[in-house]
Structures are given as C-alpha cells and as structure tokens.
Amino acid sequence: LSSSSKKLVVYFTNWAHLRKDEARFVPGDIDPSLCTHIIYSFAKVNKNESGFILEGTQWSDMEMFSELVSIKDKYPNLKLLLAVGGWNHGTAMFNEMASSAATRAQFIKSTIKYLRDIKFDGFDYDWEYPGNSDRGSPPETKRHFAELIQDTRSAFEEEAKTSGKPRLLLTAAVAAGVYAVDSGYDVLTIAKSVDFINLMAYDFHGSWEDTTGHHSALYHRQDEPPAHKTANQDAAVNYWIQQGMPPDKIVLGVAFYGRTFTLRNPEVHGLGAPIRGPGTPGPYTLEPSMLAYFEICELQSAQRNWSCQHKVPYSICGNQWIGYDDTESLRMKGEYARSKGLGGVMVWSIDMDDFKGKFGTMGPYPLLRALKSGLDGRGSLDARPSDTQVAPTAPKPADVPGKPSSPSVSNSAQVPPKPSQSKAEDVHDKSETGVMSYPGDGLFPDPKDPTKYYSCANGIMYSQQCPPGLVFNPVTKTCDWPQNVRK
Ligand SMILES: *[C@@H]1O[C@H](CO)[C@@H](O)[C@H](O)[C@H]1NC(C)=O
Ligand SMILES: *[C@@H]1O[C@H](CO)[C@@H](O)[C@H](O)[C@H]1NC(C)=O
C-alpha cells in the first residue's frame, strides 16, 4: 500500500475553542496537509414529537461546520465526519433509539438530512458502550448496535442512489478492552458495514486504580500483573483482528494527552508505584487526572523516562506522574500501524497537540507530524516487526468487568467547561422554543428550571441547558456554581 492510502483521522472537539489564550483551538488552526479525515465531536441523539433525531450540542456548531467545509476548497480529498455520542452523552438515548427498526429508521433519516445540510461526508457512532451494563446499556444492545450499523449502511447506500452524491462514510469509535469488546460488538457483522473503526486504544490505566500505569502503552511489560497484559494497544489491535475485523478497517487511536497521578511518595515513582489519587488539573484543560500534550511540554522541570517495553515515555514532576506520548513514541505507533497493515491512525484530539508551536520548541504540530512520518514510513525509529512480539495465543478476557478499562475517547476531555472558562451562549445546546413571550435580545433565566436559560436573538428564543452541576446566574449571565447564585 502506498502511504497515501493510509488514513490519518483526527477528532475535533467543539469545546476546545473555549480554552483560554494560546490553547484556544478553532477550525482555522487545523493543518489540513497533516490529516485525511476530521471527525467533529459531538452531536447527540435526541427525540421530539416526530421521533428520534440527530442534534448539535453547541451554539457555535453551525459556524464551525461551515468553516470546516471551506477547508475543502483547497483540500478536496479531505473527509469531514460528524460523531454522535461520546462519554458524557451516556447510553439512555442510544438504548432506546436502537431498540427497534422503526426508531432506528427515524434517527437515520434525520441523520442523513443533517449531514447533507451541513455538507459533511460521513458519520461516526460513538456509543460508549453498547452491551455494557456498567454504562447503562443492557446485554441486548450489543445486537441492537450491530443492527443500527447495518441499517445505517443500507440507508446511506439507498440515499446515494437517489441523490447521486457519493455515499456517506460510516465509522464507529470502539472500545479496546477485551471485556468491552466481547460484551459490545458483533465484530463480523459490524465489519461488513463500516468503512473503518476508530479503535480507542487509550485510557487502559488511570487514577481509578491504586498504582501508576501507562494509559496507552504500545506493548505489554514482562513484569506486569497477568490481568494487565492485554491492556495495551498491540493486544487490542490483535484482539480485534482475531474477532474478525480486517486489519485495513482498523484505525489505531492514539492520545495527544497524558493520564496523570499524584504519587503517594515522590521517591517511589516507577511504573506500578502507589498513588494518592488523580493528578492535578492542567492550567488550560482544567480536568483532574489528565494533561494535554501542550501542557506537558510546558513542564520544564519534569524528568522524562522511557519504558523500553511499553515503548512510551512517562514523566515525573514533584509528586505528579504522567504517562503520555511524545514525538518518539508516536513515530513508532505510526510505523506500527503501517507495518501491521492497519487502515491508519486516529488522534484524540487534534487540539491537544502543540498546534501553534507556542508551548514547546519543535514548531507547530510536533505530535501530528511525528505520527504521520511514522505512518508514511519515513524515519522509522526502532520499528521492530510487531508480529514477532505478539503473543500468538488469544488474550483471555483479562480486564475486570466494572472497571473502566478504556473509559472513552471523550472521557479525557469532555468535561463541562468551568463557569469561569465559558461564555454561556457558547456552551449549550441549541434548540428552539416558544414557551415565553420574547423578552428582547440577550440571556434570560428559564423561570421553570434553574439549570436552564434562554438565549434570545433576532426574535428567536433558544432554550439552553447548563452543564451538569451548574445553574444559570442571572447577574453574571453565565452558568455558575449554585452557591454563587443569589436566591
Ligand atoms: C423534530 O426535529 C426535526 C429535526 O430537527 C424537525 O425537522 C422537526 O420539525 C421536529 N418536529 C417537531 C414536531 O418539533
Ligand atoms: C527511569 O527508569 C529506570 C528503569 O525503570 C529507573 O531505574 C529510574 O529510576 C527511572 N527514573 C525516573 C526519573 O523515574
């Protein structure tokens, strides 16, 4: 295969534009020469009187869709997909929507119209996870998910015939842990209908455990506990292949963020060191237990170490322990995907690279460029043939049910923006309503629900929902912590 046939898929998050200063990421920051597919996250499943529908999640979606579409003027081969779901979306709407042919058909019809309206090229299901009771999806949703994928593919084909447009692409972001794969995916059925899967091969370890562990190791380590030996990217890829997914439909997901831990004792800081809890939030991403790569390369005083067996770096900075990827490990992962004959690589998420080169010293997009050079077969570093390293036997289900062995693609960053960080009108769902009489332009509390407010412009009132835990503050006109809002 020529390098040009390999996919470099990047997720674009519709909240990264809310970050402050140099970390603010907008469509204009994308370098389209470094990717083949952009997946916009997230839209959501909703329903109204006419049935299940696809809906955007932010006020700014429409504007960003059209900015992304305009990139195609110069890069006509670039593909734009819209992702539905994500970790915070939950499973309830998916469960219900996928449960019957009729409800699936409602949703798919709405989705096709939405995608054609915004001029996108495809759709990515990000249900986390079907068949996973811990996440609220009962066992039969494994079958329903496969049916949803099949129905969507058929409908996309039908639509292409009647519209004369190229068929919409169909992908799914899928779990990497053995338990989540077994309980969630009818792999052979899905394989026939998807163009490719985005394998979320990260979050294998995190501060929900008792010790440090790298969340996105490429290979296992000799001295790992047996139950951890399948918690790495190579094992996940092999497991999906064994279940019947053709390698060239597997797009290996890599993380542009680190998972962080607070060490119990800073003197004890290897892999498997005891921890006190999650690492402290980064100054831009503001979420415990993770740091964007650009925040990691700001840590001047960090001591970098390299795990020769995992093939990934980790850093120690005081009592903070960070397992992440850098240019060296990502070049290897690109090379791994190429030598293994995979469809390509996927990135969660593009906004967490040092995209302007303002934080580090390697210029813009150091991670994406390193990943791409590995994928293209340029500058291979220690690219040992992966197959000699793979244990040929099928990995036994090792991850413990109930543990988020691979919480999600979106778990890493889809936290509600903190009140200080966000302008209310940017962060909420856009849905029209006509309950109150028009109060004039501006933001107004919803008299019936303190967690909601109305954003009013040009005679239209949009009902908006504050992020979980927050209420509308009529004084500051933002979503705020309840204790800050005067009764
Ligand atoms: C339901 O949503 C769809 C898609 O947004 C819209 O076209 C339709 O008018 C809505 N139906 C009702 C009854 O509100
Ligand atoms: C780096 O790893 C080696 C081998 O595990 C270990 O001996 C050394 O202490 C580590 N250094 C740091 C700074 O963690």
Side-chain angles (χ1 to χ4, degrees):
L1 286 174
S2 80
S3 61
S4 61
S5 67
K6 294 290 178 197
K7 298 173 184 75
L8 211 165
V9 180
V10 298
Y11 277 91
F12 173 98
T13 59
N14 68 357
W15 58 93
H17 69 103
L18 301 168
R19 294 196 186 120
K20 63 180 181 184
D21 308 333
E22 296 299 348
R24 178 178 150 86
F25 188 92
V26 295
D29 291 313
I30 292 170
D31 180 345
S33 69
L34 295 177
C35 53
T36 61
H37 297 66
I38 298 171
I39 307 186
Y40 188 101
S41 48
F42 285 107
K44 68 180 179 193
V45 185
N46 208 347
K47 65 176 170 183
N48 66 13
E49 290 93 86
S50 39
F52 284 91
I53 53 172
L54 180 75
E55 253 184 9
T57 58
Q58 286 206 20
W59 175 261
S60 44
D61 285 341
M62 287 300 160
E63 194 184 321
M64 291 205 282
F65 293 152
S66 66
E67 284 175 40
L68 290 170
V69 169
S70 71
I71 297 175
K72 294 183 62 170
D73 294 343
K74 278 201 186 132
Y75 294 85
N77 295 328
L78 183 70
K79 301 292 180 216
L80 300 175
L81 291 85
L82 179 61
V84 64
W87 184 260
N88 288 355
H89 181 283
T91 56
M93 279 288 173
F94 277 120
N95 295 343
E96 212 186 322
M97 178 272 284
S99 66
S100 75
T103 46
R104 292 192 292 269
Q106 292 164 358
F107 177 74
I108 294 164
K109 183 167 175 237
S110 159
T111 296
I112 291 173
K113 178 171 187 325
Y114 197 99
L115 295 171
R116 290 307 190 192
D117 283 351
I118 65 170
K119 301 189 162 61
F120 268 37
D121 306 295
F123 196 54
D124 180 56
Y125 279 108
D126 203 343
W127 178 345
E128 300 186 16
Y129 308 99
N132 193 317
S133 303
D134 301 323
R135 292 283 298 155
S137 280
E140 66 272 18
T141 55
K142 173 179 180 172
R143 178 169 50 86
H144 295 156
F145 179 64
E147 288 166 347
L148 177 64
I149 295 281
Q150 283 181 310
D151 291 359
T152 306
R153 174 63 182 254
S154 313
F156 282 5
E157 281 175 6
E158 281 305 306
E159 190 271 348
K161 275 184 221 150
T162 52
S163 72
K165 294 176 183 159
R167 176 179 61 78
L168 292 161
L169 297 171
L170 177 59
T171 66
V174 297
V178 171
Y179 164 74
V181 176
D182 288 344
S183 56
Y185 309 106
D186 173 354
V187 175
L188 290 173
T189 303
I190 293 169
K192 285 193 207 110
S193 293
V194 292
D195 290 288
F196 55 91
I197 56 164
N198 295 300
L199 180 57
M200 297 188 280
Y202 31 72
D203 295 335
F204 286 111
H205 292 288
S207 54
W208 56 86
E209 295 170 320
D210 300 328
T211 58
T212 60
H214 202 291
H215 84 101
S216 59
L218 183 53
Y219 299 109
H220 74 86
R221 231 174 52 236
Q222 295 301 335
D223 61 340
E224 275 182 298
H228 286 180
K229 291 238 159 96
T230 58
N232 60 75
Q233 300 183 317
D234 179 54
V237 166
N238 289 325
Y239 195 65
W240 272 92
I241 293 173
Q242 280 163 9
Q243 301 308 304
M245 185 59 69
D248 65 357
K249 285 195 175 188
I250 298 175
V251 171
L252 173 64
V254 299
F256 280 9
Y257 62 93
R259 284 250 163 238
T260 64
F261 305 78
T262 299
L263 293 164
R264 190 168 288 280
N265 172 1
E267 305 291 304
V268 184
H269 56 220
L271 287 150
I275 63 162
R276 199 175 293 287
T280 49
Y284 299 95
T285 52
L286 305 170
E287 189 185 353
S289 92
M290 62 84 63
L291 288 175
Y293 173 73
F294 63 77
E295 292 171 312
I296 298 167
C297 62
E298 270 202 324
L299 293 171
Q300 306 294 343
S301 60
Q303 271 184 291
R304 179 184 181 273
N305 212 341
W306 176 260
S307 169
C308 295
Q309 296 185 51
H310 279 337
K311 300 278 173 224
V312 282
Y314 58 95
S315 280
I316 297 106
C317 188
N319 67 354
Q320 298 294 297
W321 193 101
I322 307 146
Y324 64 106
D325 271 293
D326 63 7
T327 54
E328 188 178 359
S329 63
L330 287 169
R331 197 185 303 271
M332 285 181 193
K333 289 178 178 188
E335 171 64 30
Y336 170 91
R338 193 182 65 83
S339 64
K340 193 109 184 156
L342 304 185
V345 289
M346 170 274 273
V347 168
W348 182 272
S349 55
I350 187 171
D351 48 87
M352 292 197 278
D353 200 348
D354 185 10
F355 54 92
K356 284 183 176 146
K358 295 270 168 118
F359 290 93
T361 55
M362 290 181 285
Y365 283 114
L367 297 190
L368 203 50
R369 284 186 290 117
L371 184 63
K372 180 168 161 53
S373 70
L375 188 68
D376 291 350
R378 287 180 284 118
S380 73
L381 286 168
D382 183 30
R384 57 171 153 167
S386 53
D387 300 80
T388 61
Q389 190 164 7
V390 174
T393 52
K396 278 281 143 248
D399 31 352
V400 188
K403 277 279 176 182
S405 66
S406 179
S408 78
V409 67
S410 52
N411 188 30
S412 61
Q414 200 195 11
V415 285
K418 302 290 181 292
S420 59
Q421 187 196 2
S422 55
K423 289 219 312 263
E425 66 269 28
D426 283 338
V427 299
H428 305 114
D429 303 348
K430 179 182 175 182
S431 50
E432 295 185 32
T433 182
V435 184
M436 271 164 38
S437 63
Y438 193 72
D441 289 357
L443 304 177
F444 300 90
D446 182 332
K448 289 201 229 91
D449 184 345
T451 71
K452 290 185 173 165
Y453 63 98
Y454 289 104
S455 171
C456 308
N458 305 321
I460 302 171
M461 296 172 61
Y462 300 91
S463 173
Q464 313 278 1
Q465 174 72 54
C466 287
L470 305 185
V471 297
F472 185 72
N473 184 336
V475 179
T476 59
K477 299 204 184 295
T478 56
C479 293
D480 203 344
W481 304 110
Q483 59 267 30
N484 296 339
V485 179
R486 258 182 260 124
K487 289 267 154 23

